[in-house]
Amino acid sequence: MHSIVSLISGRGSNLEAIFKTATAKSWDVRFTGVISNNPEAKGLDFARSQGISTQVLNHRDFASRDAFDKALIHEIDHYGADLLILAGFMRILTPAFIKHYEGRIINIHPSLLPRYPGLHTHESALEAGDTTHGATVHFVSAGVDEGPIICQGEVPILLDDDASRLAARVLKMEHYIYPLAVEWFINQRLQIEGNTVHIHPPESQYISFT
Ligand code: GRF
């Protein structure tokens, strides 16, 4: 039985997608806790409605990033986490934090990394005139939006797209690839080698809706 803890800051739709897939497919997991730095995060309501224990750790209550991350580690380890899922968690984590969870902390980013790390990815893809865009699930390493890629999902950019229409299409893909990546992890199919993730037995790690 795997223990999963998730960190969120907002809507929590990725957490919801993962939880619903876990329930529908009867994964051998327990969602031991959901922690938010934002007391208003909507995702907390979903977690509570499913009986998952929740915690708010407001970063504004801490004097430094180090102090916040230490408190976060304390809470996460109290819950017990074989897998730590960042699902729209909008804080940069310290190298010490990331080291502590090395190999068991994953994130989703709304672009086809290494293109467009950071914020405003949909606007950037539109401005660049790209014809496709997407999302990436990756293990977290010290750099922002870096780390070995588990899988990517590609969607088309349509002629009349604006950032919000494009974001909605990417979000649908996120809700498909994040549960998929978690399922691979809990089934122990992932092997990290340098900056590459191999999946055993092999399966496509690039999903395209184009
Ligand atoms: C998603 O677009 C995710 O890729 C990014 O933050 C957003 C979180 O959405 N990291 P939600 O809170 O899971 O609905």
Side-chain angles (χ1 to χ4, degrees), residues 6-100:
S6 182
L7 305 186
I8 63 169
S9 297
R11 185 175 52 187
S13 69
N14 277 290
L15 165 68
E16 197 171 328
I18 294 164
F19 183 87
K20 285 184 172 161
T21 305
T23 308
K25 293 184 144 183
S26 307
W27 291 352
D28 189 24
V29 298
R30 215 165 80 83
F31 289 78
T32 47
V34 170
I35 302 172
S36 173
N37 65 308
N38 167 16
E40 309 292 325
K42 262 192 65 195
L44 287 169
D45 297 335
F46 171 77
R48 289 185 192 116
S49 76
Q50 301 303 318
I52 306 170
S53 173
T54 61
Q55 275 279 345
V56 173
L57 271 192
N58 193 334
H59 57 280
R60 294 170 204 274
D61 296 339
F62 294 84
S64 67
R65 208 179 272 285
D66 268 344
F68 175 66
D69 279 12
K70 279 203 180 106
L72 211 48
I73 288 178
H74 182 80
E75 292 303 327
I76 295 165
D77 290 354
H78 176 74
Y79 282 133
D82 305 314
L83 176 62
L84 182 58
I85 294 178
L86 305 184
F89 186 65
M90 301 303 284
R91 301 293 304 164
I92 290 176
L93 295 160
T94 55
F97 180 98
I98 291 166
K99 179 100 198 119
H100 188 83

Side-chain angles (χ1 to χ4, degrees), residues 8-16 43 86-90 107-111 121-122 134-136 145 167 170-171 174-175 178:
I8 63 169
S9 297
R11 185 175 52 187
S13 69
N14 277 290
L15 165 68
E16 197 171 328
L86 305 184
F89 186 65
M90 301 303 284
N107 180 44
I108 190 159
H109 180 74
S111 79
T121 59
H122 311 303
T136 303
D145 300 324
V170 171
L171 191 64
E174 294 185 33
H175 295 166
Y178 215 175

Side-chain angles (χ1 to χ4, degrees), residues 166-188:
L166 181 55
R169 191 173 311 118
V170 171
L171 191 64
K172 259 193 202 151
M173 177 56 96
E174 294 185 33
H175 295 166
Y176 178 71
I177 61 170
Y178 215 175
L180 183 67
V182 173
E183 189 168 31
W184 289 346
F185 181 94
I186 61 172
N187 289 333
Q188 292 168 342

